[in-house]
Amino acid sequence: MNRARRARIVATLGPASRAPGTVKALAQAGVDVFRLNFSHGSHEDHAAALKAVRGAEMALQRPLGVLADLQGPKLRLGRFRDVEIAVAPGQRLRLDLDETPGDETRVCMPHPEIFKALREDHLLLLDDGRVRLKVIKRDDKWADVEVLSGSKLSDRKGVAVPQAVIPVSALTPKDREDLAFALRMGVDWVALSFVQKAEDMAELKRLVNGKAACLAKIEKPAALTELGAILDYSDGVMVARGDLGVELDPEDVPVAQKQILRMARQRGVPAIVATQMLESMTSAPAPTRAEASDVANAVYEGADALMLSAETASGDYPLESVAMMNRIMERVENDPLWPGLMDAEHAGMDEHDVDALVAAARKAAEASSTACMVVFTTLGGTARRMARERPLQPILALTPNPDTARRLALVWGLEPRLGRQPESLEQVTEDAVQAAMEYGLAEPGQRVLILAGTPFGAPGAANLLRLAHAPAKAKRRRKA
């Protein structure tokens, strides 16, 4: 079951979609990676969902990735005596550490770390930005603020501080428990929320210890200033436009999205664009034209994957949402202008010989007689490097490692499949040609471009580029 597109689809599982039959149908409709959102649901729910994904994978004979998305720190106000208060521009309010229920003059904000980071004139955004406050005076235990906009404020609303780096760990005690559980289950990716600095990802990678790939969610302006360093510690990145859109002005979010995608591609780090892609399909059978354009633009920008959240987790039309996203992706990639956009930017070669080899492979693959590329990979590094070049031919990534195959399901243009570890050049050629035909990526007589590394079986960079032809009279055994 090959995809007729290069960009990948991530779908969130939830009450509307975690049943085994629905998971299989979603994969058939186009989902490549399934997201488990640890902000919602029990461990039992997530274990059942992962079991359903593995069942669908076996039935469809296609690797499917599972992404565990950790909740991260949630900064919130305390409670009000009457649950809710009215606010108006110009009104003054004190925020403090007193847990007594608040009123129109003060309310608890039980986060001393915020008070220590605040400075005069800093903005505070409450309730997803619906209420905006400016700091007039502050201390390490309180802050006097002025309401800039908003009309009401109620219990436990979220607090965002876009102009400060909050000295709080990106991993809460709940996250650590969820992470340990997710790793025991055998997830393929772990996403860390509210990353602010490279040290956040370094801590996650230390805890994961190679048991999964680590993905940074960029949803804080502070992360943009350290983006390069964060990406250096990340196996993947997500443009989390929901929370990022709270702390950035609306006109800055598309610019940030392009910046993240560009830097991620330069490093060969797969990037997901997320949040409100087809939001109206949570309750409607078709998207708005603006949403269709949003999905299309992310594909034109070369994003590795696009993510559906509430659309598939709790919406009324989960299958229709995936099918629609799949249709939009395929339509974009059939646009005559799309190949030129993919070819417009290539990462510069560094000191690694493999970069020169991959660049040569991309040029060689441009010949019309080349049906596909076959990359032999143990840990996935060579396959990701090849995908970074955005060749138009399909890339069959053969690996003996199921974990590697599942992680590569997130990467642009790759068709990951399990294969034996070759032991000789003849076996490399034979396996590559046979697999390309078996999976319907090459016809008899067509050329297959092969990328591999020697010594065979040893993890490391590719150092072998070979051209082979599928036998003119060969027959495909099956089409997966």
Side-chain angles (χ1 to χ4, degrees):
M1 188 181 69
N2 302 321
R3 302 299 189 207
R5 51 172 164 79
R6 308 299 189 271
R8 298 309 179 206
I9 294 176
V10 181
T12 305
L13 293 178
S17 55
R18 67 170 69 103
T22 305
V23 170
K24 179 181 176 182
L26 289 170
Q28 289 174 311
V31 176
D32 302 287
V33 176
F34 289 92
R35 171 179 174 247
L36 307 180
N37 184 2
F38 277 80
S39 295
H40 305 284
S42 66
H43 283 182
E44 291 74 17
D45 291 334
H46 296 313
L50 187 141
K51 183 178 179 181
V53 174
R54 296 300 185 231
E57 179 182 68
M58 184 175 294
L60 300 177
Q61 291 296 292
R62 176 185 178 85
L64 298 171
V66 175
L67 167 67
D69 193 339
L70 304 178
Q71 177 177 288
K74 293 291 186 180
L75 306 176
R76 299 185 183 276
L77 287 182
R79 299 188 180 279
F80 290 95
R81 185 175 58 214
D82 297 323
V83 181
E84 180 179 285
I85 65 167
V87 296
Q91 178 179 339
R92 296 292 181 94
L93 190 67
R94 171 163 286 201
L95 308 175
D96 56 37
L97 295 174
D98 182 357
E99 295 183 2
T100 303
D103 54 26
E104 288 78 5
T105 62
R106 60 150 299 276
V107 68
C108 179
M109 185 166 69
H111 302 287
E113 62 273 12
I114 295 183
F115 292 112
K116 292 178 181 178
L118 284 180
R119 296 295 178 266
E120 291 184 7
D121 294 329
H122 272 184
L123 289 177
L124 290 169
L125 307 178
L126 279 56
D127 192 13
D128 287 340
R130 294 179 180 87
V131 177
R132 295 166 60 89
L133 310 175
K134 183 174 75 171
V135 177
I136 305 302
K137 294 177 64 177
R138 47 79 54 197
D139 190 83
D140 284 354
K141 296 182 179 180
W142 56 265
D144 288 337
V145 298
E146 177 184 345
V147 178
L148 298 181
S149 63
S151 60
K152 62 182 179 179
L153 195 56
S154 57
D155 287 349
R156 304 287 298 159
K157 292 302 182 184
V159 179
V161 191
Q163 295 163 297
V165 176
I166 308 301
V168 60
S169 173
L171 283 160
T172 67
K174 168 181 163 50
D175 293 329
R176 293 173 186 273
E177 291 179 8
D178 291 340
L179 174 61
F181 175 77
L183 294 177
R184 288 197 302 270
M185 283 199 305
V187 301
D188 309 299
W189 286 85
V190 175
L192 184 60
S193 298
F194 301 108
V195 172
Q196 296 187 94
K197 53 191 183 300
E199 288 79 4
D200 294 334
M201 291 305 297
E203 182 181 11
L204 177 67
K205 296 211 79 167
R206 179 181 61 80
L207 293 172
V208 171
N209 194 27
K211 297 176 183 176
C214 297
L215 184 143
K217 293 175 66 178
I218 306 301
E219 45 199 334
K220 301 284 290 182
L224 295 174
T225 64
E226 286 202 40
L227 184 58
I230 289 170
L231 291 176
D232 288 341
Y233 279 97
S234 304
D235 303 306
V237 66
M238 182 188 296
V239 188
R241 303 181 305 178
D243 285 284
L244 188 62
V246 171
E247 301 198 23
L248 286 180
D249 290 328
E251 66 272 19
D252 291 330
V253 175
V255 177
Q257 175 173 314
K258 286 179 169 55
Q259 175 190 355
I260 297 166
L261 292 178
R262 186 177 300 115
M263 292 186 68
R265 180 172 169 187
Q266 287 171 351
R267 287 166 167 76
V269 174
I272 304 171
V273 176
T275 317
Q276 298 175 335
M277 301 300 297
L278 297 174
E279 182 74 9
S280 65
M281 290 194 72
T282 304
S283 57
T288 67
R289 300 303 178 264
E291 289 167 341
S293 293
D294 183 37
V295 170
N297 285 333
V299 179
Y300 279 119
E301 290 171 357
D304 287 81
L306 279 60
M307 192 175 93
L308 295 165
S309 300
E311 300 96 328
T312 54
S314 57
D316 296 332
Y317 301 96
L319 286 173
E320 292 84 351
S321 297
V322 172
M324 177 58 67
M325 180 170 276
N326 185 77
R327 284 169 51 194
I328 296 169
M329 287 177 165
E330 290 185 0
R331 178 63 186 87
V332 169
E333 295 184 10
N334 283 319
D335 179 1
L337 296 177
W338 176 76
L341 293 173
M342 295 301 99
D343 193 48
E345 184 177 347
H346 297 283
M349 292 185 291
D350 58 23
E351 69 276 9
H352 297 292
D353 292 339
V354 67
D355 289 310
L357 194 69
V358 166
R362 176 182 60 82
K363 292 296 293 183
E366 292 176 357
S368 59
S369 58
T370 300
C372 71
M373 310 174 77
V374 179
V375 179
F376 287 86
T377 185
T378 303
L379 300 179
T382 301
R384 288 192 300 271
R385 272 189 160 101
M386 195 68 254
R388 180 180 67 176
E389 292 298 307
R390 298 297 191 260
L392 298 183
Q393 290 75 15
I395 308 170
L396 179 59
L398 292 179
T399 178
N401 188 339
D403 293 336
T404 297
R406 290 163 176 161
R407 294 175 192 179
L408 292 179
L410 182 67
V411 182
W412 188 99
L414 296 184
E415 287 290 340
R417 297 291 189 275
L418 290 177
R420 64 177 175 177
Q421 181 65 64
E423 298 177 353
S424 67
L425 180 59
E426 291 73 18
Q427 198 175 92
V428 163
T429 305
E430 177 186 344
D431 286 1
V433 170
Q434 181 58 52
M437 298 181 66
E438 181 177 340
Y439 293 116
L441 298 176
E443 298 293 335
Q446 289 186 312
R447 188 169 69 169
V448 175
L449 190 149
I450 305 165
L451 201 60
T454 57
F456 300 112
N463 56 17
L464 172 67
L465 178 62
R466 184 176 177 84
L467 297 175
H469 286 82
K473 295 183 180 181
K475 294 182 179 180
R476 283 178 282 157
R477 292 181 302 189
R478 64 180 178 85
K479 183 175 180 179

